[in-house]
Amino acid sequence: MSMPHASAMTIAGSDSGGGAGVQADLKAFSALGVYGTSAITAITAQNTRGVFAVEPVSPQTVSAQISAVLDDIPPGAIKIGMLASPEIVAAVAIAIAGYDGPVVLDPVMVAKSGDALLSEDAEAALVEMLIPRAHVLTPNLPEAARLLGRAPARDAQETVAQGLALLELGARAVVMKGGHADGPTCIDRLVTASGPIALEQPRLTTRNTHGTGCTLSSAIAAELAKGAGVAAAVQRAQAWLHGAIRAADRLDIGSGHGPVHHFHEVWA
């Protein structure tokens, strides 16, 4: 008898340019050998140069998508990305209340172009309803600061301190992403109750980094769905994403911030 294939679900917005959001998540799932399902929370009109329109999906339809998937294709992990409004945050929180698998929460607030993707009242709802549900929270430094009402961390000590503060909000583990920091090395810090782990990669020079946050969180979810522990999932996902960024210029997609190369290990 065959065994069910590992699957993961993404709950996020749609990126018409294909580099971020649900499209990036499904590409990451596929590249890492995991079957992907989805619930779309918002439709965006965007490309590599910017976001030109955002239309949230109704909370009822978001909830119906999640329920349909959980009822028939239960995922080994759920990744949550762009949620747009407090009503959608609440709908997602209620819809996954009975789900007992790992949840990776990427607090998507601002697009690579600088366009806002989460309202201020939705941020408060996210902190109250979904951060306590997260097995892994994956903010970049500006997002972590915004969630805590602080200035962005300036060094390793402040980064770890903010990660610990996010643990106090209920997350079981926090990945403080270092892409917005300076220096020749990019350091992501996994912060848990057991202490921080620094994950280092050489900083790469490329403008094609659209969707890196979405891709990292979905890669972590894929590894969790395959049965990895949190530390191993984060380490594998970060190393794989580094390869996707390193190969991004080979794609030559668009004239702005192009996507990372999700299939760098597959395509010739």
Side-chain angles (χ1 to χ4, degrees), residues 20-227:
V22 164
Q23 287 83 346
D25 297 339
L26 294 175
K27 289 173 184 177
F29 293 163
S30 296
L32 293 168
V34 172
Y35 181 81
T37 57
S38 65
I40 294 176
T41 59
I43 298 170
T44 70
Q46 62 178 295
N47 54 30
T48 64
R49 296 194 300 268
V51 179
F52 305 98
V54 177
E55 183 172 339
V57 174
S58 73
Q60 295 80 7
T61 300
V62 172
S63 180
Q65 292 176 83
I66 297 170
S67 297
V69 172
L70 294 182
D71 182 58
D72 184 50
I73 316 169
I78 292 176
K79 173 263 170 80
I80 301 174
M82 176 186 175
L83 297 176
S85 71
E87 293 79 14
I88 292 176
V89 172
V92 170
I94 293 169
I96 68 169
Y99 176 72
D100 60 4
V103 174
V104 180
L105 176 60
D106 184 22
V108 178
M109 297 179 177
V110 180
K112 184 73 65 180
S113 59
D115 298 278
L117 298 176
L118 189 71
S119 64
E120 290 186 9
D121 48 355
E123 291 177 24
L126 190 79
V127 170
E128 177 184 352
M129 299 180 184
L130 284 178
I131 287 183
R133 186 67 182 81
H135 289 71
V136 184
L137 179 67
T138 62
N140 58 37
L141 298 184
E143 288 167 344
R146 191 160 167 175
L147 288 170
L148 295 168
R150 303 182 184 180
R154 296 167 295 179
D155 54 32
Q157 183 176 2
E158 290 185 1
T159 299
V160 172
Q162 291 194 13
L164 291 171
L166 291 170
L167 290 183
E168 293 178 1
L169 295 180
R172 300 187 193 181
V174 179
V175 179
M176 297 288 287
K177 297 180 294 192
H180 285 73
D182 298 319
T185 303
C186 181
I187 305 175
D188 296 333
R189 299 183 188 277
L190 172 62
V191 181
T192 69
S194 301
I197 300 174
L199 306 173
E200 301 185 15
Q201 297 286 354
R203 192 175 298 276
L204 301 170
T205 302
T206 176
R207 68 177 182 177
N208 296 320
T209 56
H210 182 52
T212 49
C214 301
T215 298
L216 178 64
S217 57
S218 54
I220 294 170
E223 294 298 335
L224 292 172
K226 292 190 288 187

